Amino acid sequence: MDWEVGFLHALQSTRNGFSDAFWKGVSLLGEEIFVIAVIMLVFWCFDKREGFKMMNIYFVSAAIVAGVKALVRRARPFDAALDKVVSVGDQSTDYCFPSGHTNSVTTLAVLFMREFPKARKVTIPVGIAVVLLVMFSRMYLGQHYPTDVLAGAAFGIVIVLLFGWLYGFLKDREEYLAFVLAPAAVIASVFIGIFADPDFQDTALTLTGVMTGAYICYFIEKRFVRWEVKASIVQNILKYVLGAAGAMLLYLPFELSAFAGVTVWVTAFLRFFLMSVWLILGAPLVFKTTGLYKKHAEKTAGPCSIV
């Protein structure tokens, strides 16, 4: 650990106002909200099955990393080495091994490389560059050690490769994951809410809340709503703006002071459960009702077609 503290100390010795602002901005690329925003773009505007596949693998990866953090319980550098490392910007409140930001952006990058082989001339160099930038930003900001970000990247790569085969096995029945993963998420949330460390509860209940809603709603959508993804550029822009606006209307009220003393079950589990209901089922219902799709595509699609 001494060499890692020394490395972070040397890294932060180059700090200035511009670099602080720059690396704070880069770090946002590893935030969950950014990753989910990109995945929803795929789900709403390009391919439902690929979008759900990416979403599912991302959730699994994030949940595994959150669990490892709770087990390892490694303190953040700015807490463990107060005289050498400072937190640039907001301090992360949970444990640091492995890096969740690095895992998130690595999982997303590898998913794009794996799922869209025709675009690899773009996704490989861009993905590697973004992952390295986020890794560096988390160290510069004093939130992670080098081994944290390396482990976060490794988890992302391995989990994508391991769980990618599952969809080949399921073929066109991926919605049946709801019968296994939704109950598992509910059971996990109960144990987490009762027994988990408070620092772990918020992240874990957020994940279980969004996973529960997503799996249930995807099963319902594929079986009964069956909205058509194919749309014009203008329609896709309208879909994305409408979908994102709806998500923000559900998310932001929970940030009001009235919710300051409310249980984590409301601010984490319920909030993200409702958001996932909107993202996976509510928004597609609105898209279908308002005609935001190519009409000829609906006529030629099969009863359970997911383009």
Side-chain angles (χ1 to χ4, degrees):
M1 182 181 288
D2 289 342
W3 74 267
E4 294 189 277
V5 172
F7 176 79
L8 297 182
H9 179 68
L11 195 61
Q12 291 194 332
S13 68
T14 64
R15 285 182 57 203
N16 57 60
F18 173 79
S19 62
D20 283 2
F22 176 78
W23 291 114
K24 285 179 188 177
V26 170
S27 182
L28 295 176
L29 298 176
E31 293 279 352
E32 290 177 353
I33 191 169
F34 173 79
V35 176
I36 291 174
V38 173
I39 291 174
M40 293 318 301
L41 177 66
V42 176
F43 183 79
W44 285 336
C45 302
F46 294 100
D47 190 310
K48 278 192 287 187
R49 189 172 190 271
E50 286 296 337
F52 180 72
K53 180 178 182 179
M54 295 173 75
M55 187 187 313
N56 179 59
I57 294 176
Y58 168 69
F59 288 155
V60 170
S61 185
I64 290 174
V65 164
V68 173
K69 281 188 177 187
L71 290 173
V72 176
R73 301 170 70 91
R74 188 182 195 184
R76 296 276 175 177
F78 56 79
D79 282 330
L82 293 172
D83 57 332
K84 293 184 178 296
V85 182
V86 299
S87 175
V88 181
D90 295 335
Q91 295 184 356
S92 300
T93 57
D94 59 352
Y95 302 110
C96 71
F97 182 91
S99 167
H101 281 68
T102 304
N103 175 72
S104 290
V105 75
T106 302
T107 300
L108 182 64
V110 178
L111 279 169
F112 267 96
M113 295 175 198
R114 186 180 189 279
E115 301 305 318
F116 302 99
K118 293 181 180 179
R120 283 177 182 164
K121 288 183 179 179
V122 174
T123 58
I124 290 177
V126 171
I128 291 173
V130 172
V131 168
L132 291 175
L133 285 169
V134 171
M135 291 171 71
F136 190 88
S137 74
R138 299 307 290 165
M139 293 185 290
Y140 176 93
L141 297 177
Q143 309 302 307
H144 288 286
Y145 296 101
T147 49
D148 297 338
V149 296
L150 290 172
F155 270 100
I157 294 168
V158 171
I159 290 168
V160 171
L161 296 179
L162 283 178
F163 285 88
W165 66 268
L166 180 61
Y167 280 81
F169 173 76
L170 291 171
K171 296 183 178 178
D172 195 35
R173 300 291 180 182
E174 74 282 354
E175 73 273 21
Y176 284 100
L177 286 170
F179 290 103
V180 177
L181 296 177
V186 172
I187 293 169
S189 68
V190 172
F191 279 92
I192 290 164
I194 296 173
F195 301 110
D197 187 308
D199 289 335
F200 176 61
Q201 279 184 345
D202 187 76
T203 299
L205 289 177
T206 293
L207 280 169
T208 53
V210 73
M211 289 170 74
T212 302
Y215 295 128
I216 293 172
C217 290
Y218 184 73
F219 182 89
I220 295 172
E221 191 287 321
K222 187 178 176 184
R223 290 282 162 172
F224 303 105
V225 178
R226 300 194 294 266
W227 65 288
E228 175 56 52
V229 174
K230 287 186 178 179
S232 67
I233 294 175
V234 172
Q235 287 173 328
N236 276 330
I237 292 172
L238 289 174
K239 282 194 296 184
Y240 198 76
V241 170
L242 183 60
M248 286 297 100
L249 287 174
L250 286 170
Y251 179 86
L252 292 176
F254 289 90
E255 295 294 304
L256 299 176
S257 59
F259 285 93
V262 177
T263 173
V264 69
W265 281 97
V266 174
T267 58
F269 185 90
L270 179 61
R271 170 166 37 174
F272 285 89
F273 174 83
L274 293 175
M275 283 184 63
S276 66
V277 170
W278 164 255
L279 294 173
I280 308 301
L281 185 60
L285 275 169
V286 173
F287 301 158
K288 184 172 183 177
T289 303
T290 54
L292 292 176
Y293 58 90
K294 288 184 177 179
K295 307 302 186 292
H296 67 84
E298 185 182 59
K299 293 178 182 178
T300 57
C304 289
S305 175
I306 47 173
V307 179

